Structures are given as structure tokens and as C-alpha cells.
């Protein structure tokens, strides 16, 4: 039995990476995995899929014992989960479960995953002093501030259920990683400054964890201040690292809305840390 290891993140000296290419560049579409770099007994796979609302890249470092057919089935199952959530929970789809919940046609308890999504939103509203509030947006309940992270985490669960414990799943400026990269070491992640790409990136080594970002899409007013109902304008971007992407995504959304006030959430024994929080 393999036990999923606890989240681990290192912030090494960037100079140590002078002659070592990062495995992942957060926010870049140019993620490439070299099948020839896989260690003996492993299968390296890269796959990109686009749904109606997002583009995802899955990088797998699978045990050879699964065989290419088994790896392909695991990949198809994970991609099917991404597509199903897009169709079933998208707030902009009139017949999605979220839209039906808004209209009072169903209750969260009608569908266990919907109940989990609602519970996550309620928990993050409490954790952020109301700065993340899925019920304080135009049109009613909208879990969009953490829906992307929740989607990626559920797709990653499908990979683990199929026996793949070494992977990275990326969606825009968000990612989840577990285990080891094809070269056998931790995943090397270059996190570029969200508004100044010419700066040297922050380099992380990760064997388990997630990074969530809010504010880099270029859309103005996409995050609403839940206390005023007006578009948030404190920051230009917020990036949070921690164990779970659903939570990191929600924290990033809340931090974007709250501004510097939200930095208090990450003090003490918090498992989450703000990487970037830039004033407008």
C-alpha cells in the first residue's frame, strides 16, 4: 500500500537552477515532458485537453507495471472528470447543477459532489472572514472562486485511484503536483512574477502541494468585494501555495478581494503561504 505523502515544498536558491531547466513554468502553455528523460521502469506522458472554460495539461510519471494501456485508461478517466465537471457544474450553463441550485430546483444534498462543493465554499467563507463568499456575487451562489481548483483536485483523484501517484496537473496559473518528476527528483516549478515576467522566477521544489492564483487573466472586475458588491481593486494579482488547490484557489480569490488585510490568514501555523500579493 502506498500512502500519499504529506505536502512538501522547498524554496531553494534560484542560482542552483542555473544549469537545470524547470519541469514546470507556472502560467506558461509551453509545458513539455521528455519521454526519454523517464527513469527506468517509468512511463512519461504529457496530455493537454481544452474544455469549454479552461485548458488543462496533465504530466504523468507512471509505473511501467501499469502498461501503456493502463496509463491511457487512467488518463481518459481523468480527462472525462474534467469534461464532466465543466458540463455539470459550470455556473454559466443554465442546466448545470449550480444553476439549478440557484433557482431553488434542487438542494445540495441531492448530489454528494454538489454538497461537497457547497461545504467547501462555506468553510472558506469562514476561514477568510467573509472575503471569499460564493453567496455574495451577482446572480446568487457562484463557486467560481474555487471551482477550478476543485475540478483539478477531483481529476487528480482519478489518477491516484488508477495507481498513478507521480503527476502534475496544470490549469492556467494553477497547478497540483504529487510525487516525482520523470527524472526521479522533485518537480521543479518556476513561478514567474504575475505582472513582471522579466523578473527572475521564484523556484520551488515540490513533491506534494498546489499553487492557486487570482488576477492574472486580464479580466477587470472578475472578483467582487463581497462586503460592497463592487469589483475588487486592491491588488493586481494574488498567488497562494499550500496542500490543496481548492483551498489555495479560494485563498487567492479572497486575498485578491481583501488586499493586504488578507495576509493575516497566512501567519502562525497555517499550511498555506502567500507567494505574491501585489498592490494595484
Amino acid at each position: 500500500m502506498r500512502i500519499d505523502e504529506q505536502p512538501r515544498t522547498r524554496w531553494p536558491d534560484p542560482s542552483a537552477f542555473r544549469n537545470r531547466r524547470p519541469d514546470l513554468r507556472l502560467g506558461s502553455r509551453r509545458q513539455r515532458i521528455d519521454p526519454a528523460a523517464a527513469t527506468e521502469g517509468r512511463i512519461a506522458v504529457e496530455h493537454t485537453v481544452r474544455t469549454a472554460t479552461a485548458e488543462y495539461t496533465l504530466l504523468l510519471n507512471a509505473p511501467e507495471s501499469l502498461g501503456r494501456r493502463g496509463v491511457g485508461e487512467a488518463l481518459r478517466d481523468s480527462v472525462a472528470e474534467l469534461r464532466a465537471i465543466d458540463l455539470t457544474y459550470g455556473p454559466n450553463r443554465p442546466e448545470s447543477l449550480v444553476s439549478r441550485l440557484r433557482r431553488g430546483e434542487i438542494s445540495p444534498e441531492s448530489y454528494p459532489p454538489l454538497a461537497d462543493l457547497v461545504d467547501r465554499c462555506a468553510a472558506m467563507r469562514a476561514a477568510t472572514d467573509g472575503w471569499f463568499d460564493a453567496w455574495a456575487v451577482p446572480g446568487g451562489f457562484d463557486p467560481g472562486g474555487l471551482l477550478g481548483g476543485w475540478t483539478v483536485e477531483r481529476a487528480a483523484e482519478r489518477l491516484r485511484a488508477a495507481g498513478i501517484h507521480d503527476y502534475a496537473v496544470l490549469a492556467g496559473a494553477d497547478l497540483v503536483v504529487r510525487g516525482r518528476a520523470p527524472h526521479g527528483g522533485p518537480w521543479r516549478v518556476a513561478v514567474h512574477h504575475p505582472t513582471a515576467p522579466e523578473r527572475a522566477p521564484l523556484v520551488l521544489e515540490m513533491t506534494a502541494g498546489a499553487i492557486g492564483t487570482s488576477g492574472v487573466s486580464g479580466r477587470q472586475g472578475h472578483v467582487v468585494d463581497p462586503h460592497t458588491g463592487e469589483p475588487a481593486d486592491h491588488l493586481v494579482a494574488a498567488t497562494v501555495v499550500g496542500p490543496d488547490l481548492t483551498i489555495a484557489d479560494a485563498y487567492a480569490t479572497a486575498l485578491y478581494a481583501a488586499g493586504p488585510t488578507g495576509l493575516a490568514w497566512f501567519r502562525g501555523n497555517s499550511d498555506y503561504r502567500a507567494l505574491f500579493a501585489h498592490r494595484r
Side-chain angles (χ1 to χ4, degrees), residues 1-274:
M1 179 182 297
R2 173 164 181 156
I3 300 175
D4 197 26
E5 61 185 284
Q6 292 299 308
R8 301 176 188 274
T9 302
R10 283 200 325 120
W11 281 260
D13 181 353
S15 64
F17 285 79
R18 196 164 293 154
N19 299 315
R20 297 166 60 192
R21 295 176 59 188
D23 303 301
L24 309 169
R25 290 188 177 275
L26 193 59
S28 171
R29 294 188 176 186
R30 297 185 297 277
Q31 309 298 340
R32 289 293 179 267
I33 190 169
D34 181 7
T39 57
E40 186 176 356
R42 313 293 293 181
I43 300 173
V45 176
E46 174 203 349
H47 183 77
T48 298
V49 57
R50 183 164 192 83
T51 67
T53 57
E55 182 174 286
Y56 304 91
T57 298
L58 298 90
L59 306 173
L60 313 183
N61 176 28
E64 202 170 59
S65 58
L66 280 180
R68 295 193 176 277
R69 181 174 179 178
V71 173
E73 290 174 351
L75 187 59
R76 283 193 294 272
D77 196 29
S78 185
V79 169
E81 183 74 357
L82 294 173
R83 294 192 182 281
I85 292 175
D86 180 67
L87 289 170
T88 309
Y89 294 91
N92 296 324
R93 294 183 179 275
E95 296 307 314
S96 73
L97 295 181
V98 169
S99 295
R100 294 179 63 195
L101 180 65
R102 282 177 177 170
R103 297 194 296 265
E105 298 173 0
I106 59 174
S107 68
E109 293 72 26
S110 303
Y111 301 89
L114 179 61
D116 177 64
L117 183 61
V118 171
D119 288 346
R120 294 291 194 105
C121 289
M124 290 311 300
R125 180 170 59 180
T128 61
D129 306 313
W131 283 101
F132 177 94
D133 192 343
W135 290 267
V137 294
F141 176 70
D142 186 342
L146 59 67
L147 182 60
W150 186 75
T151 300
V152 170
E153 288 287 2
R154 287 183 64 86
E157 286 177 11
R158 296 291 185 131
L159 296 176
R160 293 195 296 274
I164 299 177
H165 298 274
D166 302 278
Y167 58 81
V169 183
L170 299 93
D174 297 342
L175 68 79
V176 165
V177 299
R178 288 292 187 277
R180 302 282 170 171
H183 50 68
W187 293 93
R188 299 189 293 260
V189 183
V191 186
H192 289 268
H193 190 287
T195 59
E198 70 279 1
R199 293 188 186 181
L202 175 66
V203 179
L204 310 180
E205 283 189 337
M206 304 179 71
T207 55
I211 300 175
T213 302
S214 181
V216 296
S217 65
R219 290 183 295 139
Q220 295 294 319
H222 72 291
V223 175
V224 173
D225 181 332
H227 302 295
T228 66
E230 299 296 324
D233 62 358
H234 297 291
L235 302 178
V236 293
T239 301
V240 174
V241 62
D244 183 281
L245 184 55
T246 309
I247 298 174
D249 214 5
Y251 266 132
T253 301
L255 181 58
Y256 185 93
T261 301
L263 294 174
W265 305 325
F266 309 104
R267 295 172 186 155
N269 297 322
S270 174
D271 291 330
Y272 293 82
R273 174 174 172 178

